[in-house]
Amino acid sequence: MIGEAFQNPKFFFLQVFLLIALMAGAFLVPEAIAAIDETMPAVASIPKEIIDDWKAQGGTAAEIKASLPAEYQSKCDGSFESACHWRRVYRMKQFPQMQSILFAKHHNIGSTAVGFWVNVGPSDVTDANFATKGSLCLLKFENYYSQFKEILTKTDMAVKDPCISLDGKKVVFAMSSGKGKGWLLYEMEIDKPGSVKQLTKNPSGLTVADFEPCYLPNGDIMFSSTRCFGVIDCGWQPTSNMFVMDSVGNYIRRVAYDQVHTDYPVLCPDGTVLYTRWEYNDRDVSNVMGLFSMFPDGSHQIEVYGNQTTWPQSFIHGRPVPGNPNKFFAIASGHHGEYSGEAFVIDASKATNGPEYVKMISPPRETKSRDKDEWALGGVFRNSEYPNPLSEEWYLVSYRDENKLPSFNSISTGKYRIYLKHIDGKSQELIAWADQSLHRPVLVASWKDIWGSEPFRIAEQANFNDSMATFTMNDVYFGAGMSGIDKNTKVAKSLRVIALNYRVSGACNSGVFGSLSGLKPSGVVFSAPTLCPVAFGGGSWEAKRVLGEAKIYDDGSAAFKVPARVPLYFEVLDSNGFMIAGMRSWSTLMPGETFSCYGCHENRKAALPTPKTNLARDAGVQKVLDKPLGVEDQPFDYAKFVQPILEKNCVSCHGANHKSGFDLRGDKASYPGAKKSWTRSYSSLTDNLKTKLTPEIGVIGSNKAICITTIFSQPPQMPPYSYGSTKSGMIQILQKGHQNVKLSAKDLKILACWIDLECPHDGTYNGSMSTTDSQKYQQLEQTAQKWYTVESDNVKAYAATQKQVAVIPDNYSVEKAAYIARHFSIRYQPAARSLILKNCSQGNLILVDLRGKVVSRVNLTDIHPNGSYTVSLPASLSTGLYIVKIKGVKEIEQAKVTITK
């Protein structure tokens, strides 16, 4: 539903003119790095592990020598070892920035499901092989066979997740003192191993896991943490979301409000943070774990790749490719098993979803699951972790020869080594190995030495003195979400805004609250349990709260205020209040943020048309949502809102043994598998085996009465009018008139709203429980509230420090602007009188003079499909200063150029 369309002029960085230096080369040359000794040592002194790896790669001495440039061929003495040595030098010398590498040594992390490494649960469900033994290792190449040294060794602590500061002098990492004791963050000066200082601590009386830290351009640190105090809907381990703190651990505040895990934040050169988000709002549990990005303050959270992709199932350990903003290395994994998988490369220049833009590289193969168990284990080998690309072809990686499919509820003991690997799957150099696995190799150098310049520093958009945020939309009819709907029909009248409420940690499968999956729909191979369920029969995963509706104007535009720091999703409604299209994901805005989308899940990689009108903008932002139903701003509860309508209109006929099979009485009864009661009418209506109600419509996994998508539906975009109230047999019958029953328009809308919310029974997770169990769940909420209160105080304290928001920082420099221009590779070639564009998005290239006149316009989509273009300028164009824009996906792709000759 929410796409990326940069339309808001308030965002300075979307409007700033980026200066291109008219010099040869697309990137700055890193500062000088000392040369590594290339001398070939005596064969006897070359580690056996390296020689064995050379032999495993195959090839004779003559073949290896012949594959090398002439410079290196002339240095070979004809022996196999000499040929391999000079091949190693040739391969590694391309990347002087890898002269120093730091990595962690620890046990293989993981257990039955993603998230067990949070290590805060009972001992029987946490990290299966947890070991209080670990170290940070530093490898400095004085020659091409140098071995690493442990700069921090722990026999009483597990050590993981190193991240290097932007100046290359410090490392931040996570440590844990024992099984079930969580993780906390520490920092150390790399040249002073005794300088370890603790950055985070457990809140009073609570155990948390703070891990996977990431330095940000302003000195803050983003990290994953269980301080969200959520729990996996069908599991029992605490979830992790993204948090931010300052450089010494102050002002810890949450910036991701996600249903399950958000993992592995990584800073990108454009100043955004790449991470993995696992979700399943009203869709399948296992196949939605894609890459997202956000600004360092948590604003502008958008999909990067995979939110509607069925396979690869999980996109983890994503990192950008130097020099190509549209490519990422990542790991294809599952939602069960170890924190590993197979390495692949994503080309996101053309699309944000689909296996056709995913290239498997460890080993190279067809992009599809290896077996039928992809719903749990991902259908991948568990041979790779933490790919760190050095170019589009070479990458550092933790790798092992684990070329077999994993088994459920097991973890391999095979040890990871550090390799330099090529995407051909054959060429590699063994870098480091040890008695334990080696994880997460990172370069020890300044960001400028690695990338050519400092990362772009995005001005802070979040204003923590505010409590609201703003959504704007140009045209609801534009995009896949409303595909096939003629805009001239003007059928879309409003957007329903719905808030999600997540379960709290401790609502455990083995505890008092039980689980319930409901009846397994036909064609579904498994039935996922749901903890503290609010629905069954494939109904809603989450408790929900309708906030209200925003007007959609005749041109398809909308603009409205919402509460900040609340996960929200949207439904497009017709004049009856029935859903045309639904989101099946969510979006969260930071305080004071304005998020602008073009349409309803538009293709962000295609050129976007310029809207002729924007009536919502002209009318002003709708500050208060309309509340037409009377159910708004309170948990949606079936017994409170739906059953009274049935009692008034239906129960007189639909009692026990009604010929239709629908018993609509309002008494409650227990249901096998869950320690809570369920309204009789609810059980009858949501029973997915019912087939008697006409007309003959339905969605696989749902019955014809309600026609929901169910929690077993797959991730790809569903077309409008494919499920929900507009396809509900019950709604259609009642709308026409059934046995002289005439519902009011409001009552019919409430019934439709219930269906479109995916038929929740309870508005809270302790709803319909026994008094004793309800009180126990409330105690869990009170435990979580202890941290929420602390965080609220942190936010207030941080808000008091904010002097200005969304303005150009004082240290914004030409150097940073020039880097962004080089990052997108827009430059002028005087000799050819052409613009050279590399790795740019498809869209319209517009050349504008300083008076604002458009002097040239080219549709890049028509020129070349791979994001690389040479655009000849009109012969009549006079010399001078012009502005170049790529208008379509990202207006950040713009620059000033000086046209000469």
Side-chain angles (χ1 to χ4, degrees), residues 152-360:
L152 178 70
T153 301
K154 292 289 184 179
T155 58
D156 59 346
M157 302 275 275
V159 184
K160 72 185 189 88
D161 301 338
C163 179
I164 304 300
S165 61
L166 273 63
D167 62 6
K169 297 179 180 180
K170 295 180 291 187
V171 56
V172 61
F173 54 96
M175 289 200 296
S176 176
S177 60
K179 196 168 187 177
K181 294 185 179 180
W183 297 86
L184 296 173
L185 298 181
Y186 299 79
E187 187 180 60
M188 181 180 77
E189 293 181 46
I190 296 172
D191 291 338
K192 298 178 181 179
S195 63
V196 176
K197 62 179 180 180
Q198 185 172 335
L199 298 181
T200 65
K201 61 182 180 180
N202 283 312
S204 177
L206 301 173
T207 300
V208 298
D210 300 331
F211 58 104
E212 294 184 334
C214 173
Y215 284 107
L216 302 176
N218 66 350
D220 286 353
I221 297 172
M222 186 177 289
F223 59 99
S224 302
S225 178
T226 60
R227 293 170 189 261
C228 55
F229 285 92
V231 68
I232 292 179
D233 301 56
C234 62
W236 52 87
Q237 68 274 33
T239 58
S240 58
N241 276 190
M242 294 303 171
F243 287 73
V244 169
M245 63 183 179
D246 73 3
S247 61
V248 294
N250 294 326
Y251 310 121
I252 295 177
R253 57 199 182 276
R254 187 175 178 181
V255 292
Y257 292 78
D258 297 322
Q259 177 192 30
V260 202
H261 291 298
T262 50
D263 297 313
Y264 201 69
V266 170
L267 180 64
C268 297
D270 63 1
T272 63
V273 178
L274 184 73
Y275 63 99
T276 294
R277 184 169 101 172
W278 180 14
E279 60 171 85
Y280 42 98
N281 180 34
D282 297 337
R283 52 182 177 164
D284 187 69
V285 58
S286 66
N287 292 94
V288 191
M289 201 180 299
L291 294 178
F292 272 69
S293 74
M294 67 170 73
F295 291 164
D297 64 354
S299 62
H300 205 73
Q301 298 182 20
I302 58 170
E303 173 196 30
V304 173
Y305 206 93
N307 188 247
Q308 293 185 338
T309 297
T310 301
W311 201 91
Q313 181 189 88
S314 303
F315 295 66
I316 63 173
H317 300 171
R319 276 188 179 269
V321 172
N324 190 336
N326 291 311
K327 279 193 175 181
F328 305 88
F329 280 59
I331 296 293
S333 189
H335 79 282
H336 278 278
E338 300 172 60
Y339 198 35
S340 59
E342 293 181 41
F344 65 92
V345 181
I346 306 166
D347 183 354
S349 64
K350 308 175 193 65
T352 57
N353 278 285
E356 60 268 35
Y357 304 112
V358 172
K359 180 178 181 179
M360 307 301 296

Side-chain angles (χ1 to χ4, degrees), residues 870-893:
T870 299
V871 179
S872 298
L873 296 173
S876 59
L877 191 68
S878 61
T879 60
L881 191 62
Y882 293 85
I883 298 164
V884 181
K885 287 186 178 183
I886 308 299
K887 189 172 184 180
V889 180
K890 295 182 178 179
E891 293 225 8
I892 198 172
E893 295 175 6

Side-chain angles (χ1 to χ4, degrees), residues 388-429:
N388 193 337
L390 304 177
S391 69
E392 292 191 30
E393 296 184 334
W394 289 93
Y395 62 110
L396 287 170
V397 65
S398 297
Y399 179 82
R400 63 184 180 182
D401 290 326
E402 192 77 13
N403 294 322
K404 62 181 180 180
L405 290 170
S407 58
F408 191 82
N409 200 22
S410 68
I411 188 167
S412 173
T413 58
K415 295 180 179 60
Y416 289 93
R417 298 174 167 189
I418 305 299
Y419 284 86
L420 173 66
K421 289 182 69 71
H422 192 273
I423 60 173
D424 64 9
K426 301 175 182 179
S427 306
Q428 64 186 40
E429 291 297 335

Side-chain angles (χ1 to χ4, degrees), residues 501-539:
N501 178 34
Y502 303 134
R503 293 164 178 80
V504 294
S505 180
C508 141
N509 193 26
S510 59
V512 297
F513 308 122
S515 64
L516 178 71
S517 61
L519 302 172
K520 183 173 70 173
S522 60
V524 175
V525 296
F526 74 102
S527 187
T530 309
L531 307 182
C532 304
V534 298
F536 66 82

